[in-house]
Amino acid sequence: MGNARSALYRAHAAANTVPEGKLLTDLAPKQLFRATQIALAKSTLSRKRLPVKLDLEEYRSPEFHYDTSSAERWQKLLEDVPLNSDGVRWIHEDDAVLFYGIRHFEMDYDEFVSRVDISRVGDAFRDVLGINTQVVQRDSAGRPTLQIERIAALAQPNYTAFLGKDELDVYKLEHMTYEQDEVRNWMRTVCSPNASTSADDGYLGFRRAAGGGTDIVFVARQAFPRPRVMVALRLDRWEWFRTKLTEAAYMDFWNDTVDNIIARYEGQEIGIGRPNRGKGSAKRVAAAAGLVGAALYLRSRRRAAKRR
């Protein structure tokens, strides 16, 4: 299995491919610097647009059918769970989390879907470094109905970068449906070249609310390998601790994603980091190190001031 995983990574590697993590390197100075940069200086990170190296012919075939039955089954399970005060539902499995989130906004639905392209909703996910999208099918109006996306994103929650949590590198197959009162982007994991993702499936949709306005709905089943340092320290064996951290991370992800969607509706720029301008990065790295060092220094001064 290890050989197959390494072969997958090599087949999809590129100059700026997200690293394939290992326990031996999780505490190396380079990795710790990257983790500090993620935690304190995201604006210094470089964006990524990783190449799509999958064979897409299967998806281009008119006979290809995207199966939504799994996500529909998860939604039915989640609908039996009461909404909590944050407007979300949870089901914790041994190796995965089922999540349902809904947010309502007093914005005209038709205007909302005209401003926010459901096929580009992945751009709004929290801490995305870059997405490479290849549309393989469109409807008669020219709208994407099937596409492959290769997504690069930061570890969630960010502090787990110190614990051996890999940055995301995943291919998703996405199916867009357009109805009068609802649009959806159905998502299914195809593969993860750096083994950062086991499953990240479901849908994100916009629907016309019964009393007016627009609802944003997210249904997902997600499974990610646990951070290697956390496993080595056996912290993952504390189920209550694991659950608490997981739910806190999901709420950060969900809240920031919704904020990004609304920012897109309002015509604002979203995203983190800056364009990758190739090699010649010594000045960038030095600047990043200076920003990280300054942030650490200021944090230590604040803590010292509080102790006085």
Side-chain angles (χ1 to χ4, degrees):
M1 184 174 178
N3 290 338
R5 211 163 82 177
S6 295
L8 177 68
Y9 182 78
R10 290 194 301 271
H12 294 269
N16 61 341
T17 302
V18 178
E20 185 181 26
K22 296 179 177 63
L23 183 58
L24 290 175
T25 59
D26 285 339
L27 299 178
K30 182 178 180 180
Q31 177 58 28
L32 292 176
F33 172 78
R34 175 73 173 181
T36 304
Q37 195 178 4
I38 289 170
L40 300 175
K42 286 183 189 177
S43 63
T44 66
L45 298 170
S46 293
R47 297 174 189 166
K48 298 177 183 289
R49 190 173 185 273
L50 304 180
V52 171
K53 295 186 176 183
L54 293 178
D55 183 355
L56 305 181
E57 288 309 306
E58 173 189 1
Y59 307 125
R60 291 194 175 102
S61 169
E63 285 78 40
F64 180 82
H65 172 71
Y66 186 100
D67 185 4
T68 62
S69 59
S70 294
E72 290 168 344
R73 184 171 68 254
W74 301 327
Q75 179 170 337
K76 288 178 181 178
L77 290 172
L78 285 158
E79 286 174 343
D80 290 334
V81 178
L83 280 172
N84 67 14
S85 59
D86 293 315
V88 303
R89 298 180 169 105
W90 305 94
I91 296 177
H92 291 273
E93 299 178 339
D94 288 340
D95 61 347
V97 175
L98 274 65
F99 176 83
Y100 176 103
I102 181 169
R103 295 279 296 274
H104 175 77
F105 294 91
E106 295 296 335
M107 299 169 180
D108 179 74
Y109 170 79
D110 294 309
E111 184 177 11
F112 194 92
V113 297
S114 70
R115 292 191 187 187
V116 186
D117 183 352
I118 192 65
S119 73
R120 300 301 313 170
V121 77
D123 296 334
F125 287 156
R126 185 178 196 254
D127 285 348
V128 167
L129 288 171
I131 298 181
N132 189 347
T133 304
Q134 302 290 319
V135 177
V136 291
Q137 292 186 21
R138 298 180 183 270
D139 63 12
S140 58
R143 299 174 298 189
T145 56
L146 192 69
Q147 63 191 23
I148 280 283
E149 290 196 332
R150 188 174 183 184
I151 303 170
L154 299 181
Q156 299 296 317
N158 293 156
Y159 63 80
T160 55
F162 290 100
L163 299 174
K165 182 80 176 282
D166 292 316
E167 293 182 27
L168 189 76
D169 180 1
V170 61
Y171 283 96
K172 285 189 180 183
L173 180 66
E174 300 181 348
H175 172 50
M176 278 60 65
T177 55
Y178 306 89
E179 299 179 3
Q180 183 175 353
D181 296 323
E182 185 172 16
V183 293
R184 290 184 180 180
N185 185 325
W186 302 82
M187 309 170 193
R188 188 171 76 210
T189 300
V190 178
C191 67
S192 177
N194 71 337
S196 59
T197 306
S198 302
D200 187 2
D201 309 332
Y203 77 81
L204 193 147
F206 309 143
R207 72 185 183 197
R208 193 188 307 274
T214 302
D215 291 335
I216 301 176
V217 183
F218 185 43
V219 174
R221 179 185 181 275
Q222 298 180 319
F224 303 102
R226 293 166 188 166
R228 288 175 293 273
V229 176
M230 178 180 284
V231 172
L233 296 175
R234 300 189 175 185
L235 297 176
D236 65 313
R237 298 190 178 190
W238 299 357
E239 185 175 347
W240 65 270
F241 178 68
R242 195 172 69 237
T243 299
K244 186 176 181 65
L245 292 184
T246 298
E247 293 191 358
Y250 269 77
M251 289 310 302
D252 285 345
F253 172 85
W254 174 230
N255 290 332
D256 282 4
T257 296
V258 170
D259 287 348
N260 285 339
I261 291 172
I262 299 305
R264 178 60 60 88
Y265 168 82
E266 295 172 345
Q268 301 175 27
E269 289 292 324
I270 60 174
I272 61 170
R274 55 189 177 184
N276 185 350
R277 305 193 183 280
K279 297 196 173 185
S281 59
K283 291 183 179 178
R284 266 204 320 271
V285 172
L291 285 171
V292 171
L296 289 171
Y297 173 73
L298 289 173
R299 175 175 288 189
S300 67
R301 289 293 299 272
R302 288 195 198 102
R303 287 178 176 174
K306 287 180 180 178
R307 286 196 294 267
R308 292 194 192 110

